[in-house]
Amino acid sequence: MPAVSKGDGMRGLAVFISDIRNCKSKEAEIKRINKELANIRSKFKGDKALDGYSKKKYVCKLLFIFLLGHDIDFGHMEAVNLLSSNRYTEKQIGYLFISVLVNSNSELIRLINNAIKNDLASRNPTFMGLALHCIASVGSREMAEAFAGEIPKVLVAGDTMDSVKQSAALCLLRLYRTSSDLVPMGDWTSRVVHLLNDQHLGVVTAATSLITTLAQKNPEEFKTSVSLAVSRLSRIVTSASTDLQDYTYYFVPAPWLSVKLLRLLQCYPPPDPAVRGRLTECLETILNKAQEPPKSKKVQHSNAKNAVLFEAISLIIHHDSEPNLLVRACNQLGQFLQHRETNLRYLALESMCTLASSEFSHEAVKTHIETVINALKTERDVSVRQRAVDLLYAMCDRSNAPQIVAEMLSYLETADYSIREEIVLKVAILAEKYAVDYTWYVDTILNLIRIAGDYVSEEVWYRVIQIVINRDDVQGYAAKTVFEALQAPACHENLVKVGGYILGEFGNLIAGDPRSSPLIQFNLLHSKFHLCSVPTRALLLSTYIKFVNLFPEVKPTIQDVLRSDSQLRNADVELQQRAVEYLRLSTVASTDILATVLEEMPPFPERESSILAKLKKKKGPSTVTDLEDTKRERSVDVNGGPEPAPASTSAMSTPSPSADLLGLGAAPPAPAGPPPSSGSGGLLVDVFSDSASAVAPLAPGSEDNFARFVCKNNGVLFENQLLQIGLKSEFRQNLGRMFIFYGNKTSTQFLNFTPTLICSDDLQPHLNLQTKPVDPTVEGGAQVQQVVNIECVSDFTEAPVLSIQFRYGGTFQNVSVQLPITLNKFFQPTEMASQDFFQRWKQLSNPQQEVQNIFKAKHPMDTEVTKAKIIGFGSALLEEVDPNPANFVGAGIIHTKTTQIGCLLRLEPNLQAQMYRLTLRTSKEAVSQRLCELLSAQF
Amino acid sequence: MIKAILIFNNHGKPRLSKFYQPNSEDTQQQIIRGTFYLVSKRDENVCNFLEGRLLIGGSNNKLIYKHYAIELDILDLIHVFVETLDKCFKNVCELDLIFHVDKVHNILAEMVMGGMLLETNMNEIVTQIDTENKLEKSEAESLQPRRQRLQ
């Protein structure tokens, strides 16, 4: 028998629906609806009191009209009246109307709340269910105020029916989402956790959802749920497919509940060893089941099975602690990459993306590169291709960067418009990040502009110019390459911008070649001039005046151009002003002045790639961005978003007659870096505050990382799944400055983000650190920067500790790493001749002054690497000093505030034994000792 | 969480719409139209997921759909819903959705509440619906004489 009895409905409603369906046109439908609306309105307004049945019927008609997509602006009161009926059908229609049509801000809420209160107290499970549903549907703050205290009681009361418990759990969850402050934690929480043991799996499912959300904000309160969830999961996973009866879905036992339990476990770090063993067994069983032949050919069977599998893999990735499981997960996903089911390929690509960031599985993920590239080329579905791009980006490292970048470039030629900009950003970032050879980088970016010029945002072309200006080894190549690229009959305006800028700076480097003589360069650029927009033309005018300085022989030609009416009387104020000023400058200024004014751009200060910042901003929690989104975002940028406006284009396009020429012409196209984190109050943090009690043990691997920084100043100090800490530092004499960059790798905010610098009591008198607090909120994907000013008072041995605390998705995170501020950073190299060296060497012959260490080589014994390390260490590397050319000697002075300490060092490699002997001589024993320790660890 | 559940016929007429987050009516209508527009363009053998676009209310939303002719767990939730409708209406068809909007909402309410999964056990859902129908029937019988009097 069908459960719904079709015959007992409302006849009037059925007639009305049939009428609507018989309407031949949209107009007829609207007419019929308006007629009905008028009828209902008159009935509601009429003198005669309507009985419950009629009221129900009319309210139901209104609901139907609303669902057809028409506005309904009356009938709410009648619906509210239905709530207090004793008849189920009337009450139900009343509640339905309210759930669908009443917004949380309705004035009727008080009346509705009253009716709900009565139903909740009715002890009739059906009525209670309706009331709870209504609360969950509307979920307004007023409702939370009225019921947030009441529902936990209903939820944990011993005599509550199962179905009501289920509803109460989800209802509470909804209220917690809208108004978490109104849901008080209390005794009930421990009883809710025990619902995980409930006999009724429906209750367990609802409770798991509730606990998962609550645990994110109150991890402590709910931590006992971990062991209960594991044992529940274990029982499900090991049950025979018939054990759970109705909760078995196409031979898969309780798939939805399993997924929810696995999600709950992702709120917590890996559990204690006892529970962990059991959980590992569960996860292994799930992985094993994936290999078993399917119990049914139905897609529902494999969907359910795989849903559990994917969630299990997510948990494995979340824990990121069992290399074995991680690699198995990766292999499983690898199988799915080739599966004929598109959904599985999509999900496998997505999961692998997170897997790629785990150090245990990064290599395993990389083995699938060919499959992923193939997916990029052959998948018919844009959702899947998008995932493939993401995964390629995630698995990219130095070893495969050229291949991946090349594939992305070739995909770009045919990529969907909606994802082009994102691919452009990704290619630009990878090319920069993994460039060993900067000519490759320049080629890649120019290719990007050629293939997808429209999608190359300002940040990308600013960045290539920054890099070319900062690296003199690539300038000649860049000039040659842009010159060649500009030969194309049609080239993108972005190329003209890059070309103009680079030739203006470095055109002289290729001017010797008659094929790119100054005049040819100028004519080439000028041939594009008239096709370009005003900002580009303004940029080109600056290039021209730079040419006047670089190539005196083209000065008359350029002056003619500047003098022409189309420049001097240009309708655009900015262009006109530039023409006038440049012309005047070229006429009155002497060569010396020209040379000074139009000098080559100084290097840009190194900072975080603005492209990366842009990608991070672009990439919200999800990865596909609609074209419209992109456009909107662009326009926000142009209108001066939160970032400081880039100096170049926006300044160029703003007519500002008072702006001085240099400010305009020579304005470096400095891309907007991430806004400097502004310490809220500007108060100095007490860096020596005694928060040491909460400091986490040093992160694993931090020793290695620390050692890596002894000979270099920049790089990534720490990285886990959530957080990346990067450093850039500079030292001069006894002072230093360190920039610490905290990158949020997730899409979720970090809250209460508090980095603290800790100097032990021993270290404190020797080293002064000063810094300002950072903003306590780090948005998903954002990066904040902290500057530490360092003063070395006297020589020291220990390193300060950087302890970071924050909340992520409700769990408290605590990370501590040693900050690589070491004594050798305050080295100043000293060059000296062989004779001086040995003289001083002998002067320091007191046994306390010498420290020697003989040790086995940990790295290949490469002369060049060793030299680089000694220089990186800070001392001068003295050539031709030691009679044995295989040995290395160095000299330098350690600067501290109180004193300066001369240091000499000698490193003798023994290739046969793969050993080194390192000797340090300084005037102070502790210094010799510390430097010897630090340097020994490097080889 | 589940943000909305929508059912369309092949011509894009929405036959069921239930939103679990407060949206203005305009936004709801826009999302309904956008969803159909996106889904109807897609081929048979592409995957069942579509990622956030402006048309469906922004980049945080993911559209999981099934043609009748997800996440996988949501994908199959759609299936459970349809199967349950099938049991309750005995071979559900579009007309049932049209003429029994209230019932369909009722059935959905037994499965999903406030955007979260309430019950996935079909028999349990059908039993609930049965109980409600019995209530309805008994009320209808008691109403019968009155209705005749009114006419």
Side-chain angles (χ1 to χ4, degrees), chain A residues 693-715:
Chain A
S693 49
V695 174
L698 288 179
S702 92
E703 284 293 323
D704 289 352
N705 258 347
F706 178 80
R708 234 175 277 156
F709 277 90
V710 168
C711 293
K712 66 171 190 175
N713 286 331
N714 305 333

mmCIF file of all heavy atoms in Angstrom, chain A residues 693-715:
data_model
loop_
_atom_site.group_PDB
_atom_site.id
_atom_site.type_symbol
_atom_site.label_atom_id
_atom_site.label_comp_id
_atom_site.label_asym_id
_atom_site.label_seq_id
_atom_site.Cartn_x
_atom_site.Cartn_y
_atom_site.Cartn_z
ATOM 1 N N SER A 693 55.036 28.652 30.083
ATOM 2 C CA SER A 693 54.311 27.483 30.568
ATOM 3 C C SER A 693 53.517 26.806 29.459
ATOM 4 O O SER A 693 53.349 25.599 29.460
ATOM 5 C CB SER A 693 53.374 27.899 31.693
ATOM 6 O OG SER A 693 52.634 29.026 31.269
ATOM 7 N N ALA A 694 53.027 27.621 28.502
ATOM 8 C CA ALA A 694 52.161 27.042 27.472
ATOM 9 C C ALA A 694 52.926 26.642 26.225
ATOM 10 O O ALA A 694 52.342 26.321 25.212
ATOM 11 C CB ALA A 694 51.089 28.043 27.111
ATOM 12 N N VAL A 695 54.250 26.688 26.290
ATOM 13 C CA VAL A 695 55.006 26.439 25.070
ATOM 14 C C VAL A 695 54.989 24.958 24.703
ATOM 15 O O VAL A 695 55.193 24.095 25.541
ATOM 16 C CB VAL A 695 56.456 26.904 25.261
ATOM 17 C CG1 VAL A 695 57.294 26.534 24.060
ATOM 18 C CG2 VAL A 695 56.480 28.388 25.487
ATOM 19 N N ALA A 696 54.728 24.695 23.456
ATOM 20 C CA ALA A 696 54.699 23.310 22.987
ATOM 21 C C ALA A 696 56.123 22.803 22.884
ATOM 22 O O ALA A 696 57.058 23.593 22.726
ATOM 23 C CB ALA A 696 54.041 23.251 21.632
ATOM 24 N N PRO A 697 56.328 21.501 22.946
ATOM 25 C CA PRO A 697 57.669 20.980 22.671
ATOM 26 C C PRO A 697 58.043 21.346 21.242
ATOM 27 O O PRO A 697 57.170 21.530 20.397
ATOM 28 C CB PRO A 697 57.497 19.473 22.832
ATOM 29 C CG PRO A 697 56.036 19.225 22.805
ATOM 30 C CD PRO A 697 55.353 20.474 23.242
ATOM 31 N N LEU A 698 59.322 21.451 20.987
ATOM 32 C CA LEU A 698 59.743 21.876 19.650
ATOM 33 C C LEU A 698 59.191 20.939 18.596
ATOM 34 O O LEU A 698 59.126 19.733 18.795
ATOM 35 C CB LEU A 698 61.264 21.883 19.575
ATOM 36 C CG LEU A 698 61.919 23.018 20.367
ATOM 37 C CD1 LEU A 698 63.420 22.928 20.241
ATOM 38 C CD2 LEU A 698 61.422 24.357 19.875
ATOM 39 N N ALA A 699 58.772 21.526 17.491
ATOM 40 C CA ALA A 699 58.176 20.733 16.430
ATOM 41 C C ALA A 699 59.191 19.746 15.892
ATOM 42 O O ALA A 699 60.383 20.048 15.821
ATOM 43 C CB ALA A 699 57.723 21.655 15.312
ATOM 44 N N PRO A 700 58.731 18.548 15.508
ATOM 45 C CA PRO A 700 59.673 17.566 14.971
ATOM 46 C C PRO A 700 60.349 18.107 13.719
ATOM 47 O O PRO A 700 59.729 18.804 12.925
ATOM 48 C CB PRO A 700 58.781 16.361 14.651
ATOM 49 C CG PRO A 700 57.388 16.878 14.655
ATOM 50 C CD PRO A 700 57.373 18.067 15.552
ATOM 51 N N GLY A 701 61.591 17.802 13.560
ATOM 52 C CA GLY A 701 62.307 18.260 12.369
ATOM 53 C C GLY A 701 62.811 19.677 12.505
ATOM 54 O O GLY A 701 63.483 20.177 11.621
ATOM 55 N N SER A 702 62.469 20.338 13.594
ATOM 56 C CA SER A 702 62.855 21.739 13.681
ATOM 57 C C SER A 702 64.368 21.879 13.837
ATOM 58 O O SER A 702 64.940 22.873 13.441
ATOM 59 C CB SER A 702 62.093 22.438 14.796
ATOM 60 O OG SER A 702 62.804 22.389 15.987
ATOM 61 N N GLU A 703 65.026 20.865 14.406
ATOM 62 C CA GLU A 703 66.476 20.918 14.528
ATOM 63 C C GLU A 703 67.126 21.026 13.147
ATOM 64 O O GLU A 703 67.995 21.853 12.914
ATOM 65 C CB GLU A 703 66.995 19.651 15.220
ATOM 66 C CG GLU A 703 66.762 19.615 16.719
ATOM 67 C CD GLU A 703 67.583 20.680 17.457
ATOM 68 O OE1 GLU A 703 68.715 20.916 17.031
ATOM 69 O OE2 GLU A 703 67.074 21.267 18.429
ATOM 70 N N ASP A 704 66.656 20.158 12.249
ATOM 71 C CA ASP A 704 67.205 20.155 10.890
ATOM 72 C C ASP A 704 67.029 21.505 10.234
ATOM 73 O O ASP A 704 67.932 22.064 9.635
ATOM 74 C CB ASP A 704 66.461 19.124 10.024
ATOM 75 C CG ASP A 704 66.822 17.728 10.459
ATOM 76 O OD1 ASP A 704 67.730 17.608 11.301
ATOM 77 O OD2 ASP A 704 66.182 16.789 9.955
ATOM 78 N N ASN A 705 65.788 22.000 10.361
ATOM 79 C CA ASN A 705 65.477 23.276 9.738
ATOM 80 C C ASN A 705 66.351 24.371 10.297
ATOM 81 O O ASN A 705 66.821 25.243 9.587
ATOM 82 C CB ASN A 705 64.020 23.628 10.004
ATOM 83 C CG ASN A 705 63.182 23.349 8.788
ATOM 84 O OD1 ASN A 705 63.735 23.137 7.719
ATOM 85 N ND2 ASN A 705 61.896 23.356 8.954
ATOM 86 N N PHE A 706 66.541 24.303 11.608
ATOM 87 C CA PHE A 706 67.351 25.293 12.282
ATOM 88 C C PHE A 706 68.760 25.286 11.701
ATOM 89 O O PHE A 706 69.314 26.307 11.327
ATOM 90 C CB PHE A 706 67.366 24.972 13.777
ATOM 91 C CG PHE A 706 68.204 25.892 14.588
ATOM 92 C CD1 PHE A 706 67.710 27.132 14.941
ATOM 93 C CD2 PHE A 706 69.475 25.531 14.993
ATOM 94 C CE1 PHE A 706 68.476 27.994 15.691
ATOM 95 C CE2 PHE A 706 70.251 26.392 15.738
ATOM 96 C CZ PHE A 706 69.758 27.630 16.092
ATOM 97 N N ALA A 707 69.316 24.089 11.555
ATOM 98 C CA ALA A 707 70.685 23.975 11.049
ATOM 99 C C ALA A 707 70.790 24.566 9.637
ATOM 100 O O ALA A 707 71.786 25.167 9.276
ATOM 101 C CB ALA A 707 71.118 22.512 11.046
ATOM 102 N N ARG A 708 69.701 24.392 8.866
ATOM 103 C CA ARG A 708 69.728 24.893 7.504
ATOM 104 C C ARG A 708 69.890 26.411 7.450
ATOM 105 O O ARG A 708 70.351 26.970 6.469
ATOM 106 C CB ARG A 708 68.420 24.500 6.815
ATOM 107 C CG ARG A 708 68.629 23.761 5.517
ATOM 108 C CD ARG A 708 67.320 23.315 4.958
ATOM 109 N NE ARG A 708 66.884 22.066 5.560
ATOM 110 C CZ ARG A 708 65.615 21.683 5.623
ATOM 111 N NH1 ARG A 708 64.665 22.454 5.152
ATOM 112 N NH2 ARG A 708 65.289 20.536 6.157
ATOM 113 N N PHE A 709 69.441 27.090 8.510
ATOM 114 C CA PHE A 709 69.482 28.547 8.491
ATOM 115 C C PHE A 709 70.798 29.116 9.003
ATOM 116 O O PHE A 709 70.983 30.313 9.005
ATOM 117 C CB PHE A 709 68.337 29.116 9.326
ATOM 118 C CG PHE A 709 67.044 29.184 8.565
ATOM 119 C CD1 PHE A 709 66.152 28.121 8.558
ATOM 120 C CD2 PHE A 709 66.735 30.311 7.822
ATOM 121 C CE1 PHE A 709 64.976 28.185 7.848
ATOM 122 C CE2 PHE A 709 65.556 30.382 7.106
ATOM 123 C CZ PHE A 709 64.679 29.324 7.116
ATOM 124 N N VAL A 710 71.690 28.255 9.458
ATOM 125 C CA VAL A 710 72.931 28.779 9.995
ATOM 126 C C VAL A 710 73.703 29.507 8.892
ATOM 127 O O VAL A 710 74.249 30.576 9.094
ATOM 128 C CB VAL A 710 73.772 27.644 10.620
ATOM 129 C CG1 VAL A 710 75.183 28.119 10.918
ATOM 130 C CG2 VAL A 710 73.103 27.156 11.890
ATOM 131 N N CYS A 711 73.673 28.934 7.686
ATOM 132 C CA CYS A 711 74.425 29.548 6.591
ATOM 133 C C CYS A 711 73.551 30.328 5.614
ATOM 134 O O CYS A 711 74.016 30.720 4.556
ATOM 135 C CB CYS A 711 75.218 28.487 5.832
ATOM 136 S SG CYS A 711 76.530 27.793 6.838
ATOM 137 N N LYS A 712 72.291 30.478 5.901
ATOM 138 C CA LYS A 712 71.483 31.331 5.019
ATOM 139 C C LYS A 712 70.465 32.101 5.840
ATOM 140 O O LYS A 712 70.201 31.774 7.003
ATOM 141 C CB LYS A 712 70.798 30.489 3.934
ATOM 142 C CG LYS A 712 69.762 29.519 4.464
ATOM 143 C CD LYS A 712 68.990 28.888 3.326
ATOM 144 C CE LYS A 712 67.811 28.131 3.891
ATOM 145 N NZ LYS A 712 66.951 27.580 2.870
ATOM 146 N N ASN A 713 69.888 33.115 5.228
ATOM 147 C CA ASN A 713 69.032 34.006 5.998
ATOM 148 C C ASN A 713 67.565 33.919 5.614
ATOM 149 O O ASN A 713 66.713 34.421 6.322
ATOM 150 C CB ASN A 713 69.500 35.448 5.839
ATOM 151 C CG ASN A 713 70.774 35.692 6.621
ATOM 152 O OD1 ASN A 713 71.005 35.044 7.636
ATOM 153 N ND2 ASN A 713 71.598 36.594 6.140
ATOM 154 N N ASN A 714 67.279 33.320 4.468
ATOM 155 C CA ASN A 714 65.898 33.335 4.003
ATOM 156 C C ASN A 714 65.429 31.918 3.737
ATOM 157 O O ASN A 714 66.217 31.072 3.349
ATOM 158 C CB ASN A 714 65.769 34.115 2.692
ATOM 159 C CG ASN A 714 66.322 35.509 2.830
ATOM 160 O OD1 ASN A 714 66.333 36.077 3.924
ATOM 161 N ND2 ASN A 714 66.814 36.044 1.726
ATOM 162 N N GLY A 715 64.160 31.706 3.911
ATOM 163 C CA GLY A 715 63.621 30.391 3.581
ATOM 164 C C GLY A 715 62.451 30.036 4.474
ATOM 165 O O GLY A 715 61.940 30.869 5.229
#
